[in-house]
Amino acid sequence: MNFFKRKQFSRKNIFKINSDGFTLVELLVAAGIFSIIIIAITGIFIGAINAHKYVISTKIILSETEYATDFMSRALRMAVKAKDSACIPAGTSYQVLEAERKIRFINALEGDRCQEFYLDLPSQRIKSSVGGIQEDLTSPNLSISALKFSYAPSSSQPIVTIYLEARIGNVPPIKLQTSISQRNLNM
């Protein structure tokens, strides 16, 4: 009979221990579920941060390229036909130098001085030059991989088309194209 009482006593202790705590398996399952939830939340957070960086980089690219194209457009619209000039051939409004990724013209707003826009390959920036004074139109953060000018001469309204490709870091390049006609028509 002592044996039977001991068994009952030990069974009570076993049940008491099990009802007061968790087993190792229960703790491992809870830790695993918690880890999966934390990893999922971290992944979503990192994805949101990367998406935010992409949007900010795209906005910077668009802002800087918009400034550069607006600046070039305003100047190109004010080109005048050359009469006797060392800048461009006489009787033309623009001279496109494709090998140098450059366009030259005489700007009426700059005192009929020779102005040019070009891609500086070492720095990958768009630059402007008026009377030998150079100015950057894009920042060092922006990388211009392509800049092309095409000129369609016409007797009354010549048209210049600007094509550029820009990027920042790992963001896919953004391609822009715009066409500009001369403000003062050559009639």
Side-chain angles (χ1 to χ4, degrees):
M1 233 176 167
N2 283 342
F3 178 74
F4 185 69
K5 283 185 180 179
R6 276 190 216 169
K7 239 181 176 181
Q8 283 180 345
F9 180 74
S10 65
R11 282 186 187 165
K12 285 182 183 178
N13 284 342
I14 289 174
F15 289 125
K16 211 177 208 183
I17 290 172
N18 284 343
S19 65
D20 288 341
F22 299 103
T23 65
L24 182 60
V25 173
E26 291 171 334
L27 288 174
L28 289 175
V29 168
I33 292 171
F34 181 74
S35 298
I36 290 170
I37 292 170
I38 293 298
I39 290 170
I41 291 172
T42 304
I44 292 169
F45 183 69
I46 289 172
I49 289 173
N50 289 338
H52 180 70
K53 285 180 183 178
Y54 177 82
V55 168
I56 295 297
S57 296
T58 303
K59 283 183 178 182
I60 290 170
I61 293 171
L62 290 174
S63 173
E64 286 199 36
T65 55
E66 181 182 9
Y67 169 76
T69 56
D70 283 352
F71 187 88
M72 289 188 287
S73 295
R74 273 187 256 122
L76 288 167
R77 281 191 181 100
M78 297 311 297
V80 294
K81 191 179 270 189
K83 293 176 185 149
D84 290 327
S85 172
C87 179
I88 59 175
T92 62
S93 298
Y94 306 99
Q95 181 182 22
V96 175
L97 305 166
E98 290 182 26
E100 300 173 23
R101 298 179 173 99
K102 184 183 289 189
I103 188 167
R104 283 188 190 141
F105 58 99
I106 297 172
N107 190 339
L109 292 179
E110 293 289 338
D112 289 341
R113 290 190 296 174
C114 186
Q115 184 169 5
E116 60 185 17
F117 296 113
Y118 61 94
L119 175 62
D120 182 42
L121 288 176
S123 66
Q124 291 188 319
R125 290 190 224 162
I126 298 173
K127 295 197 175 206
S128 170
S129 175
V130 179
I133 299 171
Q134 295 181 352
E135 176 183 5
D136 290 340
L137 297 182
T138 55
S139 73
N141 300 333
L142 189 67
S143 173
I144 306 294
S145 53
L147 178 66
K148 296 176 188 170
F149 298 98
S150 67
Y151 171 48
S154 169
S155 60
S156 62
Q157 192 169 11
I159 296 174
V160 174
T161 300
I162 302 171
Y163 169 81
L164 67 90
E165 200 171 294
R167 75 177 323 138
I168 291 180
N170 295 331
V171 175
I174 291 179
K175 301 173 185 179
L176 297 172
Q177 179 174 327
T178 187
S179 294
I180 300 120
S181 62
Q182 211 172 340
R183 180 165 285 157
N184 298 325
L185 301 180
N186 298 323
M187 294 191 172

